Amino acid sequence: MIHEYNGSFSIPRSVKLLSDGRVATVNAISTSEAFVGFSTASTGAPNSVNVTIHGIVNGFSGLTSGSLVHLTTAGVVTQTKSTTTIKIGIATSTTQIFLFSTSAIDT
């Protein structure tokens, strides 16, 4: 899935879908602009960027393979569940996540 990006960043970066159809870095998880996936290339606004919304995402470090992966409200990947994180996938290696589909975008 390709979207125009609002900002600049490096990969992998958690992104949210804005109401105007662009994506931006997750800096808060809310019901109106929630996490949809990870960018798969570095870019800067107003360029297009590929976003993985489910499946394998590479580029992480320090993950425990076989353990669930969560996202904090600040968009940080963690394997520590809390009342403020959302479950997004499972680590398939120390550097890779299988991202669960968490949105209706791909249905």
Side-chain angles (χ1 to χ4, degrees), residues 20 27 32 60 81 84 89 94 96 103:
D20 63 5
N27 55 8
S32 62
F60 301 94
K81 180 182 177 181
T84 60
T94 59
Q96 189 177 72
S103 72

Side-chain angles (χ1 to χ4, degrees), residues 54-70 77 79 88-100:
H54 62 88
I56 297 295
V57 183
N58 294 297
F60 301 94
S61 63
L63 298 172
T64 301
S65 184
S67 294
L68 290 173
V69 178
H70 303 268
V77 169
Q79 289 189 288
I88 61 166
I90 190 165
T92 56
S93 74
T94 59
T95 61
Q96 189 177 72
I97 294 172
F98 179 83
L99 184 62
F100 300 148

Side-chain angles (χ1 to χ4, degrees), residues 29-101:
I29 297 172
S30 68
T31 55
S32 62
E33 294 176 345
F35 167 78
V36 293
F38 286 94
S39 62
T40 55
S42 298
T43 191
N47 297 322
S48 295
V49 64
N50 288 321
V51 176
T52 300
I53 58 174
H54 62 88
I56 297 295
V57 183
N58 294 297
F60 301 94
S61 63
L63 298 172
T64 301
S65 184
S67 294
L68 290 173
V69 178
H70 303 268
L71 193 70
T72 69
T73 55
V76 177
V77 169
T78 181
Q79 289 189 288
T80 305
K81 180 182 177 181
S82 77
T83 58
T84 60
T85 61
I86 59 170
K87 180 173 58 176
I88 61 166
I90 190 165
T92 56
S93 74
T94 59
T95 61
Q96 189 177 72
I97 294 172
F98 179 83
L99 184 62
F100 300 148
S101 180

Side-chain angles (χ1 to χ4, degrees), residues 12-27:
R13 177 68 74 168
S14 57
V15 295
K16 60 184 177 180
L17 185 62
L18 302 175
S19 59
D20 63 5
R22 295 178 300 148
V23 293
T25 302
V26 171
N27 55 8

